[in-house]
């Protein structure tokens, strides 16, 4: 019998000195992806997004694999709270009758502004509960694109991201061993990062720095 569980650890985001500060912590827990609009019907002032993937495998359902690939283009905001989370659980199976649970969440957020306050959370947690020989993997990948002026991904970049999304779906449903699945998921994340950096490089420049920040959190069993 084996048991594996790693404590969830919130990952506070890098403070970018001139433009990014901490936003109120409570906003990240709001389960909505719709930015609040200004009273005068002007540009969005506050953006909130939460994406969560959960998979559970057990004696009744030995294999469960789920993934999410979301793109949130918020435009100009004064503050943003974004959360991305993946959880996978395998329970009650045996070495002769093993389970497989995979949860992968890719979240892309674009925000614009000179001094945007950002609170972002990216978490993953994989747990084996009395599940000898089970494969359990949870991976959360978060990409925050910050530009001085609003960035709208063009059709070419969206086609590239759609292709990556299709390959993520295929990978999640595959029978690739957990250790190899980690490597391949990392490869897809690197492709997303490259597409977004290319989009930023072609975007109008401003006084404030523009960049793409990728955050990765993987948890799994068996471990590397």
């Amino acid at each position: 019998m084996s048991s594996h569980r790693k404590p969830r650890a919130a990952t506070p985001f890098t403070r970018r000195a001139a433009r990014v500060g901490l936003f109120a912590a409570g906003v990240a827990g709001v389960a909505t992806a719709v930015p609040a609009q200004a009273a005068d019907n002007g540009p969005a002032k506050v953006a909130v997004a939460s994406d969560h993937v959960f998979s559970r495998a057990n004696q009744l359902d030995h294999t469960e694999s789920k993934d999410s690939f979301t793109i949130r283009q918020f435009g100009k905001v004064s503050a943003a709270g974004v959360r991305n989370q993946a959880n996978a659980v395998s329970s009650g199976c045996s070495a002769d009758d093993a389970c497989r649970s995979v949860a992968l969440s890719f979240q892309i957020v674009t925000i614009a502004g000179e001094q945007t306050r950002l609170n972002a959370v990216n978490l993953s947690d994989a747990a084996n509960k009395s599940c000898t020989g089970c494969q359990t993997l949870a991976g959360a990948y978060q990409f925050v694109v910050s530009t001085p002026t609003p960035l709208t991904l063009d059709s070419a970049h969206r086609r590239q991201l759609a292709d990556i999304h299709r390959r993520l779906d295929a990978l999640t449903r595959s029978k690739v061993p957990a250790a190899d699945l980690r490597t391949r998921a990392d490869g897809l994340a690197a492709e997303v990062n490259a597409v977004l950096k290319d989009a930023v490089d072609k975007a109008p420049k401003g006084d404030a720095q523009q960049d793409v920040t990728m955050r990765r959190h993987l948890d799994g069993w068996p471990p590397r």
Side-chain angles (χ1 to χ4, degrees):
M1 183 179 295
S2 70
S3 177
H4 167 75
R5 188 173 184 85
K6 293 182 180 180
R8 299 177 185 172
T11 55
F13 280 86
T14 306
R15 298 184 179 89
R16 281 172 276 175
R19 3 188 351 259
V20 179
L22 291 177
F23 185 46
V27 75
V30 180
T32 178
V34 180
Q37 300 294 320
D40 61 357
N41 215 19
K45 298 300 182 183
V46 177
V48 181
S50 181
D51 296 296
H52 183 200
V53 174
F54 176 73
S55 67
R56 177 186 292 275
N58 53 37
Q59 291 173 317
L60 299 178
D61 186 3
H62 285 72
T63 302
E64 183 162 283
S65 302
K66 294 183 179 180
D67 67 76
S68 174
F69 190 102
T70 57
I71 302 174
R72 317 289 189 188
Q73 298 188 80
F74 287 119
K76 191 169 185 177
V77 298
S78 59
V82 294
R83 182 183 185 92
N84 185 44
Q85 187 168 348
N87 294 87
V89 176
S90 296
S91 62
C93 299
S94 65
D96 295 330
D97 194 22
C99 291
R100 177 182 173 92
S101 180
V102 176
L104 297 172
S105 184
F106 281 52
Q107 182 190 61
I108 299 169
V109 176
T110 70
I111 57 175
E114 298 293 334
Q115 294 184 337
T116 303
R117 299 191 305 276
L118 173 67
N119 181 46
V121 177
N122 188 57
L123 300 171
S124 70
D125 181 79
N128 270 13
K129 299 179 178 179
S130 302
C131 203
T132 303
C134 294
Q135 294 190 51
T136 312
L137 179 69
Y141 297 84
Q142 186 179 58
F143 308 83
V144 178
V145 182
S146 302
T147 53
T149 58
L151 170 68
T152 300
L153 296 170
D154 62 23
S155 58
H157 289 115
R158 292 190 72 93
R159 281 195 300 271
Q160 289 176 286
L161 293 174
D163 176 66
I164 297 170
H165 185 185
R166 285 191 292 271
R167 286 184 283 137
L168 174 66
D169 287 341
L171 177 64
T172 304
R173 295 191 301 267
S174 73
K175 296 182 180 179
V176 174
D180 294 335
L181 199 154
R182 291 169 182 257
T183 301
R184 296 192 188 185
D186 282 346
L188 292 177
E191 289 188 46
V192 172
N193 200 49
V195 171
L196 296 176
K197 284 185 176 294
D198 183 66
V200 167
D201 287 343
K202 295 176 180 178
K205 303 299 186 289
D207 293 335
Q209 181 182 358
Q210 54 189 31
D211 59 18
V212 179
T213 302
M214 184 185 87
R215 295 173 176 87
R216 165 190 179 273
H217 196 278
L218 274 170
D219 190 25
W221 187 263
R224 285 186 182 278

